Amino acid sequence: MTRDVTLEQMQHWLLHYADQIEQEQATLTRLDAAIGDADHGVNMQHGAEKMRAKINDLTDCHDIDVFLRTIAMTLISSIGGAAGPLYGVFFLRASKEAGPGDVISLDRLAQMFQVGLESIQQRGHARLGDKTMVDALAPAVEALRLATDAGQSTTEALAVASEAAEAGMLATIDMEAKKGRASYLGPRSIGHQDPGATSAYLLVASAAATLGN
Amino acid sequence: MIAPANHRPADYSPKTALQKKLINRPRDVVTESLEGLALAYPNLLNIAYAPPVVWRKDAPVKGKVALISGSGSGHEPLNTGYVGRGMLDAACPGGLFTSPTPDQYVAAMHAVEGGAGALFITKNYTGGLLNMGMAKEMAEDEGFRVQTVLVNDDVAQNDPENRRAMGATVLVEKIAGAAAEESRPLDHVAAIAQQVADQARSMGLALTGCTSPRIGYPTFELPADEFELGVGIHGERGRQRRMLASADAMTEMMLEPIIQDLGLTEGDNVLALVSGLGATPLQELFIVFRHLHHSLAQRGIPVIRQLVGNYITSLDMAGCTITLLKLTPELTRLWDAPVHTAALHW
């Protein structure tokens, strides 16, 4: 059982994520229309289009850190809103953690998710329970770490991380938003699933679908 | 299935999904509108599209602090309509209701920076702050001097940290723009901008939601006899839904919290801005202004400067926002200074 993750798998991961975003664009937008400003689906789709084009252009890239850094800059300059910088810093920080080379260990991948989450929280100042993307990512990061330390395979570890992200996403329905545009509604934000947590869940679900072996 | 059935947003019927707008393709709205703006103001504006930046034709003005403001599109004339002598040097228009990206600010810096540094005017929204923060870091890495001012004038939000930017944005841009035109240093221009932001408060109400062309259906729908109090400028619902009342009564609901929050007392002079949200006739805005003027006069708080019209909008939302700025003689003088932009000129 190998627990390594390759650059090629990472490329598949983010192409898969771009497909997921495009498939679910209308749902993301409708979730955002309910409690935000109805732009999350459109903006993420724009980022997904640019990301796919960039990945297809990057044929001579051999290092995971260069690849993830390029993804980060592409997302920062194409998504806009809060999601652009937040997904951008996630990949920027993850790229530094990954370092050069075309393969990393599962342990390193778990660490990348951890520091990526931390950078999102540093920039966005959101905590668990604020009804944001953190509510999907934080449980996933924790589950990934526990499964990795327990010696599970990449496939198994990412599967539990994806389940944790999904549960975290669904838990945002009952939360009152404390950050982002939904927070302007105060208690009226309760009863709606957070669009940022939803796109963050898709990121983890795509990882589970592509990075295993 | 990424959302459970009972929490999946309702599907909209084809009838409401057919939007009635003067557009071509929804995805081209922002770009085509900028192209039209460029054609309408050929002597005033330069416009680039990749990334989108609108800047004054005579920039860079040597020795003058550059004022750069970023904002999502859909609030026109904010901010592109405020580019010109006496106000902004550049505007960075984002997507519809979406804050612009950092590379737009950096491109604007290169177009308009005249050697005296730049002031970034930012509205208090998570995305706006994040992108502007990155832009500042990138511009400083290139050796530019940058200061920022945060506008957060919406009293509908109880937590000051969470207050949205509304009409005060226009006042900050006008008054700081006049200060920059006097060749004052960056510190001074930033301090005046901050003073305006600190002394201005706003409140808004909506009679309808708005329809973003990329989405095609309204952000919310209201029964005929209700309105939303405490709305922002992005089509979101307000803090409360209330029963419709007279214009005077509804104006009072916006005015009272502003007066209290600003701590206005008898003898204070104010500037009042009544801005439509996009689909309300001027006729109604003047009715709102009429009551606002009377009500403040009765409290001994004269309105000595005013602006009534569509100055900060939310696409085709019906309703309005009210902004009051507590004036000082210097702020009044800077407000009166000449301005030559697409949307404000005197």
Side-chain angles (χ1 to χ4, degrees):
Chain A
M1 176 187 83
T2 171
R3 301 213 301 168
D4 289 344
V5 175
T6 65
L7 171 60
E8 194 183 346
Q9 284 179 304
M10 293 228 169
Q11 290 165 337
H12 287 153
W13 169 28
L14 295 176
L15 286 170
H16 188 275
Y17 184 47
D19 291 343
Q20 291 293 301
I21 290 292
E22 296 197 339
Q23 264 176 38
E24 301 292 353
Q25 193 263 106
T27 302
L28 291 173
T29 291
R30 283 177 183 155
L31 290 171
D32 199 23
I35 54 171
D37 55 357
D39 66 353
H40 192 56
V42 169
N43 294 344
M44 290 301 291
Q45 184 177 4
H46 189 233
E49 283 170 15
K50 297 282 180 189
M51 181 165 73
R52 181 184 293 111
K54 194 55 122 179
I55 293 172
N56 291 331
D57 280 355
L58 267 181
T59 45
D60 60 343
C61 175
H62 305 291
D63 293 295
I64 290 175
D65 60 350
V66 175
F67 172 69
L68 292 179
R69 189 181 159 76
T70 308
I71 294 296
M73 298 318 288
T74 303
L75 296 179
I76 288 170
S77 64
S78 64
I79 299 179
L86 292 175
Y87 281 113
V89 295
F90 177 86
F91 285 109
L92 210 52
R93 195 67 190 79
S95 93
K96 284 184 191 154
E97 189 64 31
D102 62 0
V103 60
I104 55 166
S105 65
L106 175 60
D107 186 64
R108 181 56 61 97
L109 182 77
Q111 193 58 25
M112 283 164 50
F113 268 90
Q114 172 70 43
V115 297
L117 168 67
E118 284 167 10
S119 67
I120 284 177
Q121 293 192 271
Q122 280 162 13
R123 284 267 174 186
H125 307 293
R127 287 177 300 195
L128 200 61
D130 284 352
K131 198 179 183 105
T132 70
M133 59 201 291
V134 169
D135 293 309
L137 280 179
V141 164
E142 192 184 350
L144 183 59
R145 170 49 61 197
L146 288 173
T148 303
D149 291 351
Q152 295 194 15
S153 70
T154 309
T155 308
E156 291 163 341
L158 283 167
V160 291
S162 178
E163 281 166 26
E166 185 177 16
M169 168 187 84
L170 295 175
T172 63
I173 293 171
D174 295 327
M175 294 177 186
E176 178 178 339
K178 300 292 183 196
K179 290 284 168 193
R181 289 219 172 126
S183 67
Y184 304 139
L185 296 179
R188 294 177 79 185
S189 63
I190 296 170
H192 300 277
Q193 181 174 312
D194 182 64
T198 309
S199 63
Y201 156 69
L202 289 175
L203 182 69
V204 182
S206 282
T210 52
L211 300 183
N213 19 63
Chain B
M1 181 67 82
I2 57 169
N6 58 333
H7 286 288
R8 236 179 143 76
D11 285 327
Y12 287 79
S13 70
K15 192 174 158 218
T16 52
L18 281 175
Q19 51 182 329
K20 224 172 186 178
K21 286 179 186 288
L22 290 168
I23 60 174
N24 298 307
R25 289 195 310 170
R27 61 180 306 146
D28 296 332
V29 164
V30 171
T31 302
E32 290 183 356
S33 183
L34 286 174
E35 287 169 358
L37 180 75
L39 293 169
Y41 295 94
N43 300 321
L44 188 65
L45 302 175
N46 282 322
I47 303 190
Y49 298 92
V53 179
V54 177
W55 72 102
R56 56 189 267 189
K57 206 112 200 173
D58 59 347
V61 182
K62 202 167 179 299
K64 187 185 95 66
V65 171
L67 263 65
I68 300 174
S69 190
S71 154
S73 296
H75 308 301
E76 290 72 19
L78 190 91
N79 283 302
T80 51
Y82 301 132
V83 174
R85 185 159 36 83
M87 217 161 163
L88 298 178
D89 292 84
C92 303
L96 283 160
F97 289 170
T98 299
S99 45
T101 55
D103 50 320
Q104 290 178 256
Y105 287 89
V106 175
M109 278 303 272
H110 284 283
V112 303
E113 209 274 343
L119 180 69
F120 288 175
I121 297 162
T122 308
K123 307 209 295 305
N124 192 28
Y125 296 97
T126 312
L129 279 174
L130 287 168
N131 284 289
M132 191 272 301
M134 283 192 168
K136 181 171 188 280
E137 287 168 27
M138 288 159 71
E140 286 173 345
D141 281 350
E142 294 190 29
F144 290 114
R145 275 192 305 141
V146 178
Q147 289 202 27
T148 63
V149 60
L150 184 66
V151 186
N152 58 342
D153 50 318
D154 175 23
V155 298
Q157 299 296 320
N158 299 324
D159 175 6
E161 272 190 27
N162 210 18
R163 286 185 169 174
R164 299 168 285 205
M166 313 242 288
T169 315
V170 182
L171 313 183
V172 168
E173 291 174 0
K174 166 65 187 84
I175 290 173
E181 214 68 48
E182 294 179 348
S183 298
R184 297 202 210 175
L186 182 54
D187 285 349
H188 287 213
V189 176
I192 283 173
Q194 191 62 55
Q195 187 188 0
V196 176
D198 290 344
Q199 293 182 192
R201 295 286 187 279
S202 297
M203 180 91 163
L205 66 78
L207 305 175
T208 67
C210 64
T211 301
S212 170
R214 289 300 296 266
I215 298 148
Y217 52 81
T219 50
F220 59 85
E221 300 205 41
L222 276 169
D225 56 354
E226 291 179 9
F227 74 102
E228 291 268 345
L229 182 64
V231 297
I233 53 168
H234 298 90
E236 64 267 49
R237 293 164 173 79
R239 293 291 288 195
Q240 302 170 355
R241 188 168 287 194
R242 292 206 183 170
M243 294 304 290
L244 212 58
S246 68
D248 289 359
M250 286 173 17
T251 302
E252 203 60 36
M253 289 177 209
M254 290 185 280
L255 188 56
E256 187 60 40
I258 298 176
I259 292 171
Q260 294 216 351
D261 203 275
L262 264 182
L264 290 175
T265 53
E266 195 172 343
D268 285 335
N269 292 323
V270 296
L271 183 159
L273 163 63
V274 175
S275 177
L277 281 168
T280 287
L282 269 177
Q283 188 175 56
E284 294 171 33
L285 299 180
F286 283 121
I287 292 172
V288 169
F289 180 66
R290 167 186 168 276
H291 178 79
L292 179 148
H293 197 284
H294 288 167
S295 180
L296 284 167
Q298 275 170 12
R299 298 166 208 247
I301 304 166
V303 175
I304 63 164
R305 294 292 184 278
Q306 60 282 319
L307 200 55
V308 182
N310 291 299
Y311 292 101
I312 177 166
T313 62
S314 184
L315 290 169
D316 55 359
M317 180 177 263
C320 72
T321 62
I322 287 176
T323 305
L324 295 184
L325 168 65
K326 188 174 164 179
L327 284 169
T328 63
E330 189 192 30
L331 295 184
T332 309
R333 186 181 66 74
L334 291 168
W335 176 258
D336 290 341
V339 58
H340 184 65
T341 68
L344 276 192
H345 36 84
W346 55 73

